[in-house]
Amino acid sequence: MKNIIIITGASSGIGQEFALQIDTAFSNIDEIWLIARREERLAEVAKVMEHATRLIPMDVTDEYAMDDLEMLLEEEQVVVRMLINAAGFGLMGEFDDIPLEEQTDMLLTNCEALTKLTHITLPYMTRGSRIIQMASAAAFLPQPGFAIYAATKSYVLSFSRALNRELAYRGIYVTAVCPGPVNTEFFEVAEQYGKTPMVKKLTMITSEKCVKAALRASYYKKSMVVPGISMKTSLLATKLLPHELVLSITSLWK
Ligand SMILES: NC(=O)c1ccc[n+]([C@@H]2O[C@H](COP(=O)([O-])OP(=O)(O)OC[C@H]3O[C@@H](n4cnc5c(N)ncnc54)[C@H](OP(=O)(O)O)[C@@H]3O)[C@@H](O)[C@H]2O)c1
């Protein structure tokens, strides 16, 4: 039996940082599987890693590629010690200004693919296995100007918290990670139809800090982690204040 860790979105940003931190911090892992579309970027990440890696260049929204991955898991006789779903993207802008196909692609990537990957890897998990799902602080509240993205992340947070409870009897722990802005290539994609409000940019953290908090939370079996003091404060505000009031305040940022 081969002990493996699977990381999606490993070609960039937070997923790449997960690969690098896990590579130095984890032992007793035979292979780290790195998933994203850009193979050359995955190869660059793998080149600086000590662990054996398997590069799986695939579009997570491609159902045939997902079927192939499911077969590979079966063939390789693996134990999945950890699954990290970091593949995802967001598009800022008004709902009716963004082409429908790109909006629905956000649903497929952030929600459907994450759900399928979680489902196909679960049979290969054992007591002590971990799942880390990249949600976002955008999950806490509807976000005009980032509407579909925020809704996808609410899905990820809700699904992950429920799954964590369902899997507790098997000793498998799910952690939803909810950072605010993280300094990655995310914004190159996100700002095609809209701009990030300046106030949000002021709260930006590094991917190193985000991933460190995520791995620590997963180690301690936390169902959710909010890296950074600004987003912890935001979460508190959404718990204490009426949501319509918070929405009126955040609408002033545009
Ligand atoms: N950065 C932030 O401010 C922030 C804040 C909160 C949450 N998040 C979440 O954190 C996760 C990682 O984002 P990031 O900041 O690291 O952004 P990033 O640097 O743009 O990385 C996104 C990763 O997802 C992969 N990806 C996207 N669509 C894919 C697809 N269809 N198939 C396979 N891989 C795909 C990309 O690889 P390829 O392009 O090579 O396929 C890339 O590796 C996302 O879920 C994002 O929503 C980010």
Side-chain angles (χ1 to χ4, degrees):
M1 284 288 192
K2 214 191 263 184
N3 283 300
I4 67 160
I5 289 179
I6 302 176
I7 306 171
T8 74
S11 63
S12 167
I14 296 169
Q16 174 178 326
E17 184 59 29
F18 268 115
L20 299 178
Q21 288 196 25
I22 282 172
D23 187 48
T24 51
F26 282 55
S27 54
N28 301 326
I29 295 297
D30 299 306
E31 261 179 20
I32 302 177
W33 291 14
L34 305 176
I35 297 178
R37 289 165 299 189
R38 290 170 292 174
E39 187 172 12
E40 68 291 350
R41 292 279 297 261
L42 291 178
E44 281 171 31
V45 178
K47 214 190 295 179
V48 296
M49 291 172 63
E50 293 290 329
H51 278 85
T53 53
R54 181 186 281 256
L55 308 189
I56 305 181
M58 66 178 267
D59 184 332
V60 293
T61 67
D62 178 341
E63 58 184 290
Y64 298 110
M66 196 64 85
D67 288 345
D68 288 346
L69 179 61
E70 193 170 11
M71 278 191 290
L72 188 65
L73 286 165
E74 198 180 332
E75 280 162 19
E76 292 284 316
Q77 298 278 303
V78 294
V79 174
V80 178
R81 307 299 315 172
M82 185 177 264
L83 166 69
I84 298 168
N85 272 310
F89 76 101
L91 291 172
M92 292 171 195
E94 302 294 313
F95 174 67
D96 54 0
D97 287 343
I98 304 174
L100 181 59
E101 203 181 322
E102 295 184 40
Q103 308 253 28
T104 52
D105 196 30
M106 257 187 285
L107 303 177
L108 295 177
T109 310
N110 299 356
C111 301
E112 190 180 284
L114 173 142
T115 308
K116 283 184 175 174
L117 259 159
T118 306
H119 199 268
I120 66 169
T121 49
L122 260 175
Y124 302 95
M125 292 193 175
T126 55
R127 187 158 285 277
S129 290
R130 299 288 200 274
I131 301 172
I132 296 181
Q133 312 282 36
M134 280 311 301
S136 165
F140 304 154
L141 202 68
Q143 285 208 7
F146 216 5
I148 299 296
Y149 178 72
T152 66
K153 294 302 178 178
S154 291
Y155 170 89
V156 175
L157 179 58
S158 172
F159 165 56
S160 305
R161 292 178 68 195
L163 188 65
N164 184 52
R165 288 287 171 146
E166 283 187 20
L167 295 176
Y169 83 99
R170 282 178 61 186
I172 298 171
Y173 300 96
V174 186
T175 302
V177 187
C178 301
V182 182
N183 195 3
T184 69
E185 291 169 23
F186 179 86
F187 294 95
E188 288 171 24
V189 179
E191 293 189 329
Q192 290 172 66
Y193 301 98
K195 283 268 161 269
T196 313
M198 187 47 83
V199 65
K200 273 196 179 178
K201 286 198 166 156
L202 294 173
T203 64
M204 196 168 269
I205 62 168
T206 62
S207 52
E208 287 85 348
K209 183 172 177 175
C210 175
V211 167
K212 204 171 164 195
L215 289 174
R216 188 179 157 83
S218 171
Y219 178 80
Y220 286 110
K221 305 172 182 171
K222 304 271 187 210
S223 65
M224 177 180 167
V225 59
V226 183
I229 190 72
S230 314
M231 291 307 127
K232 285 189 177 71
T233 311
S234 298
L235 177 60
L236 189 64
T238 62
K239 284 181 191 270
L240 296 178
L241 300 172
H243 280 187
E244 288 305 326
L245 175 64
V246 184
L247 276 171
S248 301
I249 295 167
T250 53
S251 295
L252 300 174
W253 295 348
K254 279 208 237 168

